[in-house]
Amino acid sequence: MTQDKPNADTAPAFDRSRLLDWMAANGVTQTTHDHPAVFRVEEGLELKAAMPGAHTKNLFLKDKKGKLWLISARQDTVIDLKRADKWIGSARLSFGNETLLYDTLGVRPGSVTALGLINDVDRRVTFVLDQALWDADIVNFHPLTNTATTALTQADFRRFLTLIGREPVVLDFGKLG
């Protein structure tokens, strides 16, 4: 099986088309649904209602020491950023800026997604995953653009993470909140 890695010299190495091609070439089965651009969780509720599986919210964060974090949780999960730093072992969290987001995950605001980790070849971003997503049968993420949603079975999502060499920090935000 082909497992080409992103080229560290370009940002982003992967866009939607290349990501989906890479998934197909590496045996990661997915279903992608096109839809109008969605920038916030609340905007896509009607669209998501017709798509099975757990839908996500994704937060790209930076702590006061400069460490980068991506938190992926169910769309209805409440994440208190004033307390989340203690849960994940960081120092005071704030949202990462657009340039940093694009340089590390290859996406723009509104398109933040765990699938963007394929572009983080330098492993600058620590991936934190909600236990509810880790346990979901189907997970839904943007495929590097907010004009579509990609559904993956849990087995295929874990295969994706394994292929890109990422192991998430899994936390139960439902019990922490």
Side-chain angles (χ1 to χ4, degrees), residues 79-115:
I79 298 174
D80 181 352
L81 289 184
K82 292 180 180 163
R83 295 171 53 198
D85 58 352
K86 293 167 191 63
W87 301 334
I88 64 176
S90 73
R92 194 179 68 238
L93 293 166
S94 61
F95 288 97
N97 69 43
E98 182 175 355
T99 300
L100 196 53
L101 173 63
Y102 189 74
D103 288 348
T104 54
L105 299 181
V107 297
R108 301 286 183 202
S111 298
V112 179
T113 173
L115 301 180

PDB file of all heavy atoms in Angstrom, residues 79-115:
ATOM      1  N   ILE A  79     -16.532  22.698  26.457  1.00  0.00           N
ATOM      2  CA  ILE A  79     -15.114  22.700  26.815  1.00  0.00           C
ATOM      3  C   ILE A  79     -14.797  24.061  27.423  1.00  0.00           C
ATOM      4  O   ILE A  79     -14.846  25.080  26.737  1.00  0.00           O
ATOM      5  CB  ILE A  79     -14.218  22.427  25.597  1.00  0.00           C
ATOM      6  CG1 ILE A  79     -14.541  21.040  25.029  1.00  0.00           C
ATOM      7  CG2 ILE A  79     -12.744  22.527  25.987  1.00  0.00           C
ATOM      8  CD1 ILE A  79     -13.835  20.718  23.747  1.00  0.00           C
ATOM      9  N   ASP A  80     -14.503  24.062  28.702  1.00  0.00           N
ATOM     10  CA  ASP A  80     -14.170  25.275  29.430  1.00  0.00           C
ATOM     11  C   ASP A  80     -12.665  25.530  29.255  1.00  0.00           C
ATOM     12  O   ASP A  80     -11.846  24.861  29.885  1.00  0.00           O
ATOM     13  CB  ASP A  80     -14.530  25.094  30.897  1.00  0.00           C
ATOM     14  CG  ASP A  80     -14.242  26.317  31.748  1.00  0.00           C
ATOM     15  OD1 ASP A  80     -13.612  27.274  31.252  1.00  0.00           O
ATOM     16  OD2 ASP A  80     -14.650  26.310  32.924  1.00  0.00           O
ATOM     17  N   LEU A  81     -12.322  26.493  28.414  1.00  0.00           N
ATOM     18  CA  LEU A  81     -10.904  26.750  28.134  1.00  0.00           C
ATOM     19  C   LEU A  81     -10.135  27.221  29.367  1.00  0.00           C
ATOM     20  O   LEU A  81      -8.928  27.051  29.441  1.00  0.00           O
ATOM     21  CB  LEU A  81     -10.749  27.768  27.013  1.00  0.00           C
ATOM     22  CG  LEU A  81     -11.119  27.272  25.623  1.00  0.00           C
ATOM     23  CD1 LEU A  81     -10.841  28.343  24.577  1.00  0.00           C
ATOM     24  CD2 LEU A  81     -10.388  25.995  25.270  1.00  0.00           C
ATOM     25  N   LYS A  82     -10.833  27.799  30.342  1.00  0.00           N
ATOM     26  CA  LYS A  82     -10.156  28.247  31.566  1.00  0.00           C
ATOM     27  C   LYS A  82      -9.749  27.070  32.446  1.00  0.00           C
ATOM     28  O   LYS A  82      -8.872  27.204  33.286  1.00  0.00           O
ATOM     29  CB  LYS A  82     -11.049  29.207  32.338  1.00  0.00           C
ATOM     30  CG  LYS A  82     -11.234  30.517  31.616  1.00  0.00           C
ATOM     31  CD  LYS A  82     -12.120  31.455  32.371  1.00  0.00           C
ATOM     32  CE  LYS A  82     -12.244  32.745  31.569  1.00  0.00           C
ATOM     33  NZ  LYS A  82     -13.350  33.556  31.971  1.00  0.00           N
ATOM     34  N   ARG A  83     -10.381  25.914  32.231  1.00  0.00           N
ATOM     35  CA  ARG A  83     -10.052  24.717  33.000  1.00  0.00           C
ATOM     36  C   ARG A  83      -9.366  23.648  32.151  1.00  0.00           C
ATOM     37  O   ARG A  83      -8.688  22.766  32.687  1.00  0.00           O
ATOM     38  CB  ARG A  83     -11.315  24.154  33.630  1.00  0.00           C
ATOM     39  CG  ARG A  83     -11.899  25.119  34.654  1.00  0.00           C
ATOM     40  CD  ARG A  83     -13.252  24.729  35.169  1.00  0.00           C
ATOM     41  NE  ARG A  83     -13.289  23.376  35.676  1.00  0.00           N
ATOM     42  CZ  ARG A  83     -14.414  22.703  35.864  1.00  0.00           C
ATOM     43  NH1 ARG A  83     -15.560  23.242  35.578  1.00  0.00           N
ATOM     44  NH2 ARG A  83     -14.384  21.471  36.324  1.00  0.00           N
ATOM     45  N   ALA A  84      -9.528  23.720  30.843  1.00  0.00           N
ATOM     46  CA  ALA A  84      -8.986  22.687  29.951  1.00  0.00           C
ATOM     47  C   ALA A  84      -7.473  22.583  30.036  1.00  0.00           C
ATOM     48  O   ALA A  84      -6.916  21.499  29.875  1.00  0.00           O
ATOM     49  CB  ALA A  84      -9.418  22.948  28.506  1.00  0.00           C
ATOM     50  N   ASP A  85      -6.798  23.704  30.309  1.00  0.00           N
ATOM     51  CA  ASP A  85      -5.336  23.647  30.394  1.00  0.00           C
ATOM     52  C   ASP A  85      -4.885  22.657  31.457  1.00  0.00           C
ATOM     53  O   ASP A  85      -3.938  21.906  31.249  1.00  0.00           O
ATOM     54  CB  ASP A  85      -4.731  25.034  30.618  1.00  0.00           C
ATOM     55  CG  ASP A  85      -5.244  25.744  31.870  1.00  0.00           C
ATOM     56  OD1 ASP A  85      -6.185  25.249  32.526  1.00  0.00           O
ATOM     57  OD2 ASP A  85      -4.692  26.816  32.180  1.00  0.00           O
ATOM     58  N   LYS A  86      -5.578  22.607  32.577  1.00  0.00           N
ATOM     59  CA  LYS A  86      -5.225  21.658  33.645  1.00  0.00           C
ATOM     60  C   LYS A  86      -5.492  20.217  33.203  1.00  0.00           C
ATOM     61  O   LYS A  86      -4.747  19.312  33.536  1.00  0.00           O
ATOM     62  CB  LYS A  86      -6.015  21.994  34.907  1.00  0.00           C
ATOM     63  CG  LYS A  86      -5.614  23.322  35.526  1.00  0.00           C
ATOM     64  CD  LYS A  86      -6.625  23.770  36.566  1.00  0.00           C
ATOM     65  CE  LYS A  86      -6.397  25.186  37.011  1.00  0.00           C
ATOM     66  NZ  LYS A  86      -6.545  26.187  35.983  1.00  0.00           N
ATOM     67  N   TRP A  87      -6.565  20.020  32.457  1.00  0.00           N
ATOM     68  CA  TRP A  87      -6.931  18.679  32.013  1.00  0.00           C
ATOM     69  C   TRP A  87      -5.918  18.109  31.034  1.00  0.00           C
ATOM     70  O   TRP A  87      -5.665  16.915  31.024  1.00  0.00           O
ATOM     71  CB  TRP A  87      -8.298  18.676  31.347  1.00  0.00           C
ATOM     72  CG  TRP A  87      -9.430  19.163  32.196  1.00  0.00           C
ATOM     73  CD1 TRP A  87      -9.522  19.151  33.570  1.00  0.00           C
ATOM     74  CD2 TRP A  87     -10.639  19.743  31.731  1.00  0.00           C
ATOM     75  NE1 TRP A  87     -10.704  19.682  33.978  1.00  0.00           N
ATOM     76  CE2 TRP A  87     -11.425  20.060  32.864  1.00  0.00           C
ATOM     77  CE3 TRP A  87     -11.146  20.038  30.478  1.00  0.00           C
ATOM     78  CZ2 TRP A  87     -12.673  20.646  32.774  1.00  0.00           C
ATOM     79  CZ3 TRP A  87     -12.393  20.614  30.389  1.00  0.00           C
ATOM     80  CH2 TRP A  87     -13.148  20.909  31.525  1.00  0.00           C
ATOM     81  N   ILE A  88      -5.363  18.966  30.172  1.00  0.00           N
ATOM     82  CA  ILE A  88      -4.460  18.460  29.137  1.00  0.00           C
ATOM     83  C   ILE A  88      -2.985  18.663  29.485  1.00  0.00           C
ATOM     84  O   ILE A  88      -2.112  18.253  28.739  1.00  0.00           O
ATOM     85  CB  ILE A  88      -4.778  19.074  27.748  1.00  0.00           C
ATOM     86  CG1 ILE A  88      -4.557  20.584  27.723  1.00  0.00           C
ATOM     87  CG2 ILE A  88      -6.198  18.717  27.334  1.00  0.00           C
ATOM     88  CD1 ILE A  88      -4.761  21.216  26.358  1.00  0.00           C
ATOM     89  N   GLY A  89      -2.728  19.328  30.612  1.00  0.00           N
ATOM     90  CA  GLY A  89      -1.351  19.514  31.055  1.00  0.00           C
ATOM     91  C   GLY A  89      -0.631  20.634  30.336  1.00  0.00           C
ATOM     92  O   GLY A  89       0.545  20.507  30.003  1.00  0.00           O
ATOM     93  N   SER A  90      -1.347  21.724  30.110  1.00  0.00           N
ATOM     94  CA  SER A  90      -0.723  22.870  29.437  1.00  0.00           C
ATOM     95  C   SER A  90      -0.778  24.087  30.346  1.00  0.00           C
ATOM     96  O   SER A  90      -1.246  24.018  31.476  1.00  0.00           O
ATOM     97  CB  SER A  90      -1.460  23.171  28.120  1.00  0.00           C
ATOM     98  OG  SER A  90      -2.717  23.769  28.394  1.00  0.00           O
ATOM     99  N   ALA A  91      -0.314  25.174  29.808  1.00  0.00           N
ATOM    100  CA  ALA A  91      -0.390  26.460  30.495  1.00  0.00           C
ATOM    101  C   ALA A  91      -1.385  27.330  29.740  1.00  0.00           C
ATOM    102  O   ALA A  91      -1.549  27.183  28.546  1.00  0.00           O
ATOM    103  CB  ALA A  91       0.988  27.119  30.500  1.00  0.00           C
ATOM    104  N   ARG A  92      -2.052  28.198  30.379  1.00  0.00           N
ATOM    105  CA  ARG A  92      -3.108  29.083  29.860  1.00  0.00           C
ATOM    106  C   ARG A  92      -3.316  29.006  28.348  1.00  0.00           C
ATOM    107  O   ARG A  92      -2.455  29.347  27.559  1.00  0.00           O
ATOM    108  CB  ARG A  92      -2.824  30.521  30.274  1.00  0.00           C
ATOM    109  CG  ARG A  92      -4.013  31.433  30.084  1.00  0.00           C
ATOM    110  CD  ARG A  92      -3.743  32.862  30.527  1.00  0.00           C
ATOM    111  NE  ARG A  92      -2.783  33.492  29.649  1.00  0.00           N
ATOM    112  CZ  ARG A  92      -1.616  34.007  30.037  1.00  0.00           C
ATOM    113  NH1 ARG A  92      -1.266  33.955  31.292  1.00  0.00           N
ATOM    114  NH2 ARG A  92      -0.807  34.564  29.179  1.00  0.00           N
ATOM    115  N   LEU A  93      -4.491  28.569  27.933  1.00  0.00           N
ATOM    116  CA  LEU A  93      -4.817  28.349  26.523  1.00  0.00           C
ATOM    117  C   LEU A  93      -5.511  29.555  25.903  1.00  0.00           C
ATOM    118  O   LEU A  93      -6.315  30.221  26.544  1.00  0.00           O
ATOM    119  CB  LEU A  93      -5.750  27.141  26.385  1.00  0.00           C
ATOM    120  CG  LEU A  93      -5.160  25.790  26.740  1.00  0.00           C
ATOM    121  CD1 LEU A  93      -6.262  24.754  26.896  1.00  0.00           C
ATOM    122  CD2 LEU A  93      -4.161  25.357  25.679  1.00  0.00           C
ATOM    123  N   SER A  94      -5.196  29.768  24.629  1.00  0.00           N
ATOM    124  CA  SER A  94      -5.923  30.747  23.816  1.00  0.00           C
ATOM    125  C   SER A  94      -5.986  30.171  22.400  1.00  0.00           C
ATOM    126  O   SER A  94      -5.292  29.209  22.076  1.00  0.00           O
ATOM    127  CB  SER A  94      -5.217  32.104  23.820  1.00  0.00           C
ATOM    128  OG  SER A  94      -3.916  31.992  23.278  1.00  0.00           O
ATOM    129  N   PHE A  95      -6.826  30.758  21.566  1.00  0.00           N
ATOM    130  CA  PHE A  95      -6.938  30.258  20.198  1.00  0.00           C
ATOM    131  C   PHE A  95      -5.682  30.611  19.403  1.00  0.00           C
ATOM    132  O   PHE A  95      -5.155  31.717  19.515  1.00  0.00           O
ATOM    133  CB  PHE A  95      -8.182  30.819  19.511  1.00  0.00           C
ATOM    134  CG  PHE A  95      -9.445  30.215  20.041  1.00  0.00           C
ATOM    135  CD1 PHE A  95     -10.193  30.858  21.011  1.00  0.00           C
ATOM    136  CD2 PHE A  95      -9.863  28.967  19.602  1.00  0.00           C
ATOM    137  CE1 PHE A  95     -11.343  30.280  21.525  1.00  0.00           C
ATOM    138  CE2 PHE A  95     -11.018  28.374  20.108  1.00  0.00           C
ATOM    139  CZ  PHE A  95     -11.751  29.043  21.078  1.00  0.00           C
ATOM    140  N   GLY A  96      -5.216  29.652  18.607  1.00  0.00           N
ATOM    141  CA  GLY A  96      -4.076  29.896  17.728  1.00  0.00           C
ATOM    142  C   GLY A  96      -4.510  30.791  16.576  1.00  0.00           C
ATOM    143  O   GLY A  96      -5.658  30.733  16.132  1.00  0.00           O
ATOM    144  N   ASN A  97      -3.602  31.617  16.074  1.00  0.00           N
ATOM    145  CA  ASN A  97      -3.970  32.541  14.999  1.00  0.00           C
ATOM    146  C   ASN A  97      -4.038  31.838  13.643  1.00  0.00           C
ATOM    147  O   ASN A  97      -3.612  30.701  13.481  1.00  0.00           O
ATOM    148  CB  ASN A  97      -3.028  33.755  14.967  1.00  0.00           C
ATOM    149  CG  ASN A  97      -1.625  33.417  14.540  1.00  0.00           C
ATOM    150  OD1 ASN A  97      -1.400  32.661  13.595  1.00  0.00           O
ATOM    151  ND2 ASN A  97      -0.645  33.985  15.228  1.00  0.00           N
ATOM    152  N   GLU A  98      -4.600  32.551  12.674  1.00  0.00           N
ATOM    153  CA  GLU A  98      -4.850  31.981  11.348  1.00  0.00           C
ATOM    154  C   GLU A  98      -3.569  31.530  10.649  1.00  0.00           C
ATOM    155  O   GLU A  98      -3.543  30.475  10.019  1.00  0.00           O
ATOM    156  CB  GLU A  98      -5.590  33.001  10.480  1.00  0.00           C
ATOM    157  CG  GLU A  98      -5.932  32.469   9.110  1.00  0.00           C
ATOM    158  CD  GLU A  98      -6.784  33.428   8.285  1.00  0.00           C
ATOM    159  OE1 GLU A  98      -7.199  34.466   8.789  1.00  0.00           O
ATOM    160  OE2 GLU A  98      -7.028  33.092   7.106  1.00  0.00           O
ATOM    161  N   THR A  99      -2.503  32.286  10.769  1.00  0.00           N
ATOM    162  CA  THR A  99      -1.246  31.924  10.119  1.00  0.00           C
ATOM    163  C   THR A  99      -0.695  30.630  10.700  1.00  0.00           C
ATOM    164  O   THR A  99      -0.285  29.723   9.970  1.00  0.00           O
ATOM    165  CB  THR A  99      -0.212  33.058  10.253  1.00  0.00           C
ATOM    166  OG1 THR A  99      -0.746  34.229   9.644  1.00  0.00           O
ATOM    167  CG2 THR A  99       1.108  32.690   9.604  1.00  0.00           C
ATOM    168  N   LEU A 100      -0.700  30.531  12.004  1.00  0.00           N
ATOM    169  CA  LEU A 100      -0.210  29.331  12.682  1.00  0.00           C
ATOM    170  C   LEU A 100      -1.070  28.122  12.323  1.00  0.00           C
ATOM    171  O   LEU A 100      -0.551  27.031  12.075  1.00  0.00           O
ATOM    172  CB  LEU A 100      -0.228  29.575  14.195  1.00  0.00           C
ATOM    173  CG  LEU A 100       0.555  28.646  15.087  1.00  0.00           C
ATOM    174  CD1 LEU A 100       2.017  28.534  14.643  1.00  0.00           C
ATOM    175  CD2 LEU A 100       0.468  29.136  16.520  1.00  0.00           C
ATOM    176  N   LEU A 101      -2.376  28.319  12.266  1.00  0.00           N
ATOM    177  CA  LEU A 101      -3.307  27.257  11.884  1.00  0.00           C
ATOM    178  C   LEU A 101      -2.992  26.750  10.476  1.00  0.00           C
ATOM    179  O   LEU A 101      -2.887  25.550  10.243  1.00  0.00           O
ATOM    180  CB  LEU A 101      -4.746  27.780  11.961  1.00  0.00           C
ATOM    181  CG  LEU A 101      -5.852  26.868  11.438  1.00  0.00           C
ATOM    182  CD1 LEU A 101      -5.939  25.581  12.243  1.00  0.00           C
ATOM    183  CD2 LEU A 101      -7.185  27.617  11.478  1.00  0.00           C
ATOM    184  N   TYR A 102      -2.812  27.664   9.544  1.00  0.00           N
ATOM    185  CA  TYR A 102      -2.531  27.284   8.157  1.00  0.00           C
ATOM    186  C   TYR A 102      -1.159  26.618   8.032  1.00  0.00           C
ATOM    187  O   TYR A 102      -1.001  25.622   7.322  1.00  0.00           O
ATOM    188  CB  TYR A 102      -2.632  28.499   7.243  1.00  0.00           C
ATOM    189  CG  TYR A 102      -2.563  28.130   5.790  1.00  0.00           C
ATOM    190  CD1 TYR A 102      -3.644  27.532   5.154  1.00  0.00           C
ATOM    191  CD2 TYR A 102      -1.407  28.362   5.049  1.00  0.00           C
ATOM    192  CE1 TYR A 102      -3.580  27.174   3.815  1.00  0.00           C
ATOM    193  CE2 TYR A 102      -1.342  28.007   3.713  1.00  0.00           C
ATOM    194  CZ  TYR A 102      -2.424  27.417   3.097  1.00  0.00           C
ATOM    195  OH  TYR A 102      -2.358  27.055   1.783  1.00  0.00           O
ATOM    196  N   ASP A 103      -0.174  27.169   8.745  1.00  0.00           N
ATOM    197  CA  ASP A 103       1.182  26.618   8.666  1.00  0.00           C
ATOM    198  C   ASP A 103       1.288  25.209   9.252  1.00  0.00           C
ATOM    199  O   ASP A 103       2.123  24.423   8.812  1.00  0.00           O
ATOM    200  CB  ASP A 103       2.183  27.530   9.386  1.00  0.00           C
ATOM    201  CG  ASP A 103       2.457  28.811   8.625  1.00  0.00           C
ATOM    202  OD1 ASP A 103       2.065  28.920   7.438  1.00  0.00           O
ATOM    203  OD2 ASP A 103       3.054  29.730   9.224  1.00  0.00           O
ATOM    204  N   THR A 104       0.469  24.887  10.245  1.00  0.00           N
ATOM    205  CA  THR A 104       0.581  23.571  10.878  1.00  0.00           C
ATOM    206  C   THR A 104      -0.417  22.552  10.336  1.00  0.00           C
ATOM    207  O   THR A 104      -0.046  21.418  10.053  1.00  0.00           O
ATOM    208  CB  THR A 104       0.423  23.664  12.411  1.00  0.00           C
ATOM    209  OG1 THR A 104      -0.794  24.332  12.716  1.00  0.00           O
ATOM    210  CG2 THR A 104       1.600  24.378  13.038  1.00  0.00           C
ATOM    211  N   LEU A 105      -1.682  22.955  10.203  1.00  0.00           N
ATOM    212  CA  LEU A 105      -2.720  22.000   9.789  1.00  0.00           C
ATOM    213  C   LEU A 105      -3.175  22.192   8.352  1.00  0.00           C
ATOM    214  O   LEU A 105      -3.923  21.362   7.817  1.00  0.00           O
ATOM    215  CB  LEU A 105      -3.929  22.083  10.725  1.00  0.00           C
ATOM    216  CG  LEU A 105      -3.656  21.756  12.196  1.00  0.00           C
ATOM    217  CD1 LEU A 105      -4.945  21.850  13.001  1.00  0.00           C
ATOM    218  CD2 LEU A 105      -3.013  20.387  12.359  1.00  0.00           C
ATOM    219  N   GLY A 106      -2.751  23.285   7.712  1.00  0.00           N
ATOM    220  CA  GLY A 106      -3.098  23.501   6.305  1.00  0.00           C
ATOM    221  C   GLY A 106      -4.547  23.866   6.075  1.00  0.00           C
ATOM    222  O   GLY A 106      -5.072  23.600   4.995  1.00  0.00           O
ATOM    223  N   VAL A 107      -5.200  24.446   7.077  1.00  0.00           N
ATOM    224  CA  VAL A 107      -6.598  24.837   6.957  1.00  0.00           C
ATOM    225  C   VAL A 107      -6.786  26.279   7.414  1.00  0.00           C
ATOM    226  O   VAL A 107      -5.930  26.853   8.085  1.00  0.00           O
ATOM    227  CB  VAL A 107      -7.541  23.905   7.759  1.00  0.00           C
ATOM    228  CG1 VAL A 107      -7.486  22.489   7.221  1.00  0.00           C
ATOM    229  CG2 VAL A 107      -7.242  23.937   9.244  1.00  0.00           C
ATOM    230  N   ARG A 108      -7.928  26.832   7.056  1.00  0.00           N
ATOM    231  CA  ARG A 108      -8.314  28.185   7.448  1.00  0.00           C
ATOM    232  C   ARG A 108      -9.337  28.101   8.581  1.00  0.00           C
ATOM    233  O   ARG A 108      -9.967  27.061   8.786  1.00  0.00           O
ATOM    234  CB  ARG A 108      -8.927  28.929   6.253  1.00  0.00           C
ATOM    235  CG  ARG A 108      -7.997  29.052   5.067  1.00  0.00           C
ATOM    236  CD  ARG A 108      -6.934  30.065   5.314  1.00  0.00           C
ATOM    237  NE  ARG A 108      -6.086  30.221   4.134  1.00  0.00           N
ATOM    238  CZ  ARG A 108      -4.864  30.695   4.180  1.00  0.00           C
ATOM    239  NH1 ARG A 108      -4.336  31.059   5.323  1.00  0.00           N
ATOM    240  NH2 ARG A 108      -4.155  30.819   3.084  1.00  0.00           N
ATOM    241  N   PRO A 109      -9.544  29.200   9.312  1.00  0.00           N
ATOM    242  CA  PRO A 109     -10.588  29.193  10.344  1.00  0.00           C
ATOM    243  C   PRO A 109     -11.924  28.733   9.758  1.00  0.00           C
ATOM    244  O   PRO A 109     -12.264  29.069   8.631  1.00  0.00           O
ATOM    245  CB  PRO A 109     -10.648  30.655  10.785  1.00  0.00           C
ATOM    246  CG  PRO A 109      -9.260  31.169  10.522  1.00  0.00           C
ATOM    247  CD  PRO A 109      -8.841  30.477   9.247  1.00  0.00           C
ATOM    248  N   GLY A 110     -12.652  27.968  10.532  1.00  0.00           N
ATOM    249  CA  GLY A 110     -13.913  27.401  10.063  1.00  0.00           C
ATOM    250  C   GLY A 110     -13.749  26.015   9.474  1.00  0.00           C
ATOM    251  O   GLY A 110     -14.726  25.301   9.280  1.00  0.00           O
ATOM    252  N   SER A 111     -12.515  25.642   9.171  1.00  0.00           N
ATOM    253  CA  SER A 111     -12.246  24.327   8.581  1.00  0.00           C
ATOM    254  C   SER A 111     -11.357  23.467   9.473  1.00  0.00           C
ATOM    255  O   SER A 111     -10.804  22.467   9.032  1.00  0.00           O
ATOM    256  CB  SER A 111     -11.570  24.499   7.210  1.00  0.00           C
ATOM    257  OG  SER A 111     -12.406  25.173   6.313  1.00  0.00           O
ATOM    258  N   VAL A 112     -11.193  23.847  10.734  1.00  0.00           N
ATOM    259  CA  VAL A 112     -10.326  23.101  11.651  1.00  0.00           C
ATOM    260  C   VAL A 112     -10.865  21.674  11.771  1.00  0.00           C
ATOM    261  O   VAL A 112     -12.057  21.453  11.920  1.00  0.00           O
ATOM    262  CB  VAL A 112     -10.252  23.786  13.030  1.00  0.00           C
ATOM    263  CG1 VAL A 112      -9.362  22.990  13.973  1.00  0.00           C
ATOM    264  CG2 VAL A 112      -9.728  25.218  12.881  1.00  0.00           C
ATOM    265  N   THR A 113      -9.951  20.714  11.696  1.00  0.00           N
ATOM    266  CA  THR A 113     -10.327  19.312  11.649  1.00  0.00           C
ATOM    267  C   THR A 113      -9.163  18.426  12.078  1.00  0.00           C
ATOM    268  O   THR A 113      -7.999  18.757  11.837  1.00  0.00           O
ATOM    269  CB  THR A 113     -10.743  18.931  10.205  1.00  0.00           C
ATOM    270  OG1 THR A 113     -10.948  17.523  10.117  1.00  0.00           O
ATOM    271  CG2 THR A 113      -9.718  19.343   9.175  1.00  0.00           C
ATOM    272  N   ALA A 114      -9.500  17.295  12.684  1.00  0.00           N
ATOM    273  CA  ALA A 114      -8.465  16.318  13.031  1.00  0.00           C
ATOM    274  C   ALA A 114      -7.769  15.787  11.781  1.00  0.00           C
ATOM    275  O   ALA A 114      -6.613  15.371  11.838  1.00  0.00           O
ATOM    276  CB  ALA A 114      -9.077  15.169  13.826  1.00  0.00           C
ATOM    277  N   LEU A 115      -8.457  15.810  10.654  1.00  0.00           N
ATOM    278  CA  LEU A 115      -7.838  15.333   9.408  1.00  0.00           C
ATOM    279  C   LEU A 115      -6.694  16.251   8.970  1.00  0.00           C
ATOM    280  O   LEU A 115      -5.833  15.836   8.204  1.00  0.00           O
ATOM    281  CB  LEU A 115      -8.894  15.192   8.311  1.00  0.00           C
ATOM    282  CG  LEU A 115     -10.049  14.233   8.644  1.00  0.00           C
ATOM    283  CD1 LEU A 115     -11.042  14.174   7.494  1.00  0.00           C
ATOM    284  CD2 LEU A 115      -9.538  12.845   9.014  1.00  0.00           C
TER     285      LEU A 115
END
